[in-house]
Amino acid sequence: MVDTLGFRRCLLGTVFAALWVVTESYAWERRQLGTLYGSQFHITVIRDELDVTFFRWVLFAGDLAIYAIFFLLAPATLGGIIGNLLTGLMNRQRTLAYTATLVAVTASSVSVVATKISIYKAFYIPWPMIVFVLAASLLLSIADGPAKTSHDGSQLDTTTDPGTAAPTVEPVDGRSYQSPGRGRVLTALGWTLGALAMCIWLIGGPLHENLVSKWDLPFWAPPLIAVAIVVPPVLLLGASIVLLERGRRHRHRIIPSFEELAGERYLLYLRPFAIDLAMALPPDEAPGWHTRSPFELPGTHEQFVIRQFRGLGRIVAIGQPGERLPQLGAERGYLPVGNWQDTVSRLIQGAHAVIMTAAPGPGTLWEFTEALRTTTPSRLLLLVYYDELYHPFREGAAQEYATRSSAEPDVSWPPLPHLPDIPPPAPHAKGLRWDFPLQGILSFDDEWRPRFTRFPPTVPRLRLVWTIRRLVRRELKPALHPVSQLPPVSPLG
């Protein structure tokens, strides 16, 4: 998605392009050198009053910025906008904003190219690079866009009942579809296609330049040749990404039986099954002044969240009944659709800690009240996302607690803990605002008093590769460190 930061960048790029066009148009002038054999010769030079070293450096820096913006950033932005317009679930206001940005970026790019051509007459446009960046951005946007945002704009959707919903396919053991051998083959094939795509791309650039320079082609031919050269490696790269992800899911560890957890330290990850598809997407990247790295947030959203707890023990989860392959993240084990509550109750009792997504749904609400009944307060951690998920969870938890405590009067129920509102971020925080779906972690002391540990709301403008990971670990330490100090629990019974 192109967020508010993206719109601001597009606006700044458009303003910069306008200033650059005005500056270039005034700074350069054409002078006639003379006439030879009836033909006039001209040269483009800087005006005399501007022909100083400082202004030449200004023009040089402006050219570099224009090349970076309109040959790299603009195609990437256009690809993302077009992909979201084609596949995104957007209201009228968002659609108009995307369309306006698309028109502004396109108009700015055309004006820049027209200015260059009017000044230099012969101006080489790197069509292979433009088409490659545009196609790659479009492909990634189409792959990520539809499932990432629901109709109301929330990034996690729990409209499907997580505890009692009918599975998407017939209930079967997910392990019957997993093949580590097939996963290794898919992984090798994915890396091969990726390497082949890079080889074709390296060959395609010089090939395009040779074709354009040696043949007198019409104006529409260079872009068409660029498309023919660039699209195949883009498709191969897309296929490589899909195969690598499929191979990892085939090789992802599955728990044959939860009985093997007896005597082992593990953390139980509970969530509505309906959010699995959203959690399987890449996490939202953190904003930055062009110092972001692809290694900052690798993997899926679930992998990123689960990674914060890996130092506390083995992380396990209940797999969605009927899924053909497990999602990447916590280790999955599978239970029968109609007989899961007893096993989940034993898993909660034996877990070193219970990590639960605070989202509505009968299954999740039952698990929350069961955790209140069977585990100690300091072992329960709630992952709090947006208010659209958290508020219904609070209301549903109160109703489920009242229902179960009335229906099971012989059970010693602790008081229902207070679930506070999500506190706002600290004002005047340094850095860039990071609108990450996870707002924070809600933990409890021995008296069920809540404590909210906020997920980092801001990130540094300039940073190194590992800055984000260190920042997240530091900010979440108040919630995770007490869990690491807890004594072992009784073996799983």
Side-chain angles (χ1 to χ4, degrees), residues 196-218:
L196 181 60
M198 294 304 299
C199 292
I200 296 177
W201 165 246
L202 293 176
I203 296 173
L207 178 61
H208 176 270
E209 186 174 355
N210 290 335
L211 290 174
V212 172
S213 61
K214 292 182 178 180
W215 298 89
D216 186 14
L217 302 175

Side-chain angles (χ1 to χ4, degrees), residues 139 189-190 193-194 233-245:
L139 183 67
L189 183 58
L193 291 183
V234 170
L235 295 178
L236 287 176
L237 186 61
S240 170
I241 295 173
V242 173
L243 291 175
L244 289 174
E245 189 269 343

Side-chain angles (χ1 to χ4, degrees), residues 305-356:
V305 173
I306 291 301
R307 189 179 296 116
Q308 315 310 320
F309 301 90
R310 289 203 184 279
L312 304 178
R314 183 179 175 184
I315 304 176
V316 301
I318 311 297
Q320 181 174 0
E323 64 180 0
R324 303 181 69 87
L325 289 173
Q327 299 293 347
L328 299 176
E331 300 175 28
R332 258 61 167 179
Y334 294 87
L335 297 174
V337 176
N339 184 22
W340 57 273
Q341 293 179 331
D342 291 341
T343 303
V344 171
S345 179
R346 293 197 301 271
L347 288 172
I348 292 174
Q349 295 177 52
H352 183 78
V354 177
I355 308 167
M356 180 178 297

Side-chain angles (χ1 to χ4, degrees), residues 55 72-73 112 278 331 436:
F55 193 74
L72 290 176
L73 298 181
V112 167
E331 300 175 28
F436 196 77

